[in-house]
Amino acid sequence: MENILQIHKEPVLHGDESCSEHRNMSRHIVHLQLITLVWMLIECGIALISAWRAHSPVLLAFGSDSCVELLSAIVVLLQFAPSVTLSAARASRLAGILLLFLAGLVVFTSVAALLLQVEPDASWIGIGVTVAALLIMPLLSKAKRKAAHQTGNRALAADAVQSATCAYLAAITLGGLAVNAVFHIHWVDPVAALAAIPIICVEGVKTLRGAPCSCC
């Protein structure tokens, strides 16, 4: 009789453990997105203000990327809001659209800077925020990739790509700002920003079609 009771109890225990693990993972994802939201607000504000003051197209592209990353984090968070019905597939499509929007934005600002021969001033505040992004965004991207792989959440996977893209743009923005500050070669930053376009477009199309991103 005890053996029979044990046989019937085991699936219940496993079910409880599975539900607990799911809740813990959901909380972990929400915490990651909240951290992203806070940092993106700071990064976006500093980058856009610095872009306006220094007339820097690359900082404008970097700040715009931060805005898109902010929207992407909100899209992922909406999946966990009880009053909002947003499926993972729809969230994935929205994240893919945001990635493609980012690509268009970077192309527009970079080409405009080259055609108009914009000569941005040195921005040490911009250099500081890009250095901070280089330290923070890879860590966030890695944590999101791991959570996306464990849960199969394509929207979170796309958001992880955007976090990685943010780090990549931070690197090329930092390079462009540094070269401009030291050598006053103004065309380096918009040309470097265009190097991010192929990666953004490929991942954006994959996510829009519902295919798993390479980060998963």
Side-chain angles (χ1 to χ4, degrees):
M1 188 66 173
E2 291 180 357
N3 292 335
I4 295 175
L5 290 175
Q6 289 178 358
I7 292 174
H8 286 286
K9 286 179 181 178
E10 283 181 2
V12 176
L13 289 174
H14 286 305
D16 290 342
E17 291 175 0
S18 178
C19 289
S20 177
E21 183 178 352
H22 177 74
R23 285 194 298 268
N24 290 336
M25 182 56 67
S26 296
R27 283 195 294 267
H28 177 60
I29 293 174
V30 169
H31 289 158
L32 285 175
Q33 298 311 103
L34 289 176
I35 293 171
T36 301
L37 284 174
V38 172
W39 171 246
M40 283 301 114
L41 285 171
I42 297 171
E43 181 182 286
C44 179
I46 294 176
L48 291 180
I49 292 173
S50 299
W52 176 69
R53 289 181 175 177
H55 308 289
S56 171
V58 169
L59 271 176
L60 177 60
F62 180 68
S64 301
D65 166 55
S66 302
C67 291
V68 176
E69 173 72 10
L70 180 66
L71 293 174
S72 180
I74 292 173
V75 165
V76 175
L77 270 178
L78 287 177
Q79 295 180 85
F80 300 93
S83 58
V84 180
T85 56
L86 182 65
S87 65
R90 182 175 295 179
S92 178
R93 286 194 295 271
L94 288 174
I97 291 172
L98 291 176
L99 279 168
L100 294 177
F101 175 77
L102 167 61
L105 196 58
V106 172
V107 169
F108 176 78
T109 54
S110 300
V111 172
L114 289 171
L115 292 177
L116 297 175
Q117 296 182 348
V118 176
E119 297 184 0
D121 299 325
S123 176
W124 298 107
I125 297 178
I127 290 175
V129 75
T130 52
V131 169
L134 277 174
L135 297 175
I136 295 172
M137 298 315 296
L139 297 177
L140 279 175
S141 179
K142 182 178 180 180
K144 290 176 185 179
R145 283 200 307 269
K146 182 177 179 180
H149 177 75
Q150 292 174 344
T151 60
N153 191 315
R154 292 198 300 269
L156 182 61
D159 192 54
V161 172
Q162 293 206 28
S163 295
T165 302
C166 181
Y168 179 72
L169 282 176
I172 61 176
T173 301
L174 177 61
L177 292 173
V179 169
N180 183 39
V182 177
F183 300 106
H184 305 288
I185 304 176
H186 306 298
W187 54 264
V188 170
D189 49 16
V191 170
L194 290 172
I197 299 303
I199 296 175
I200 300 171
C201 288
V202 169
E203 297 299 345
V205 171
K206 284 183 179 180
T207 307
L208 193 60
R209 292 177 177 176
C213 294
S214 59
C215 62
C216 289

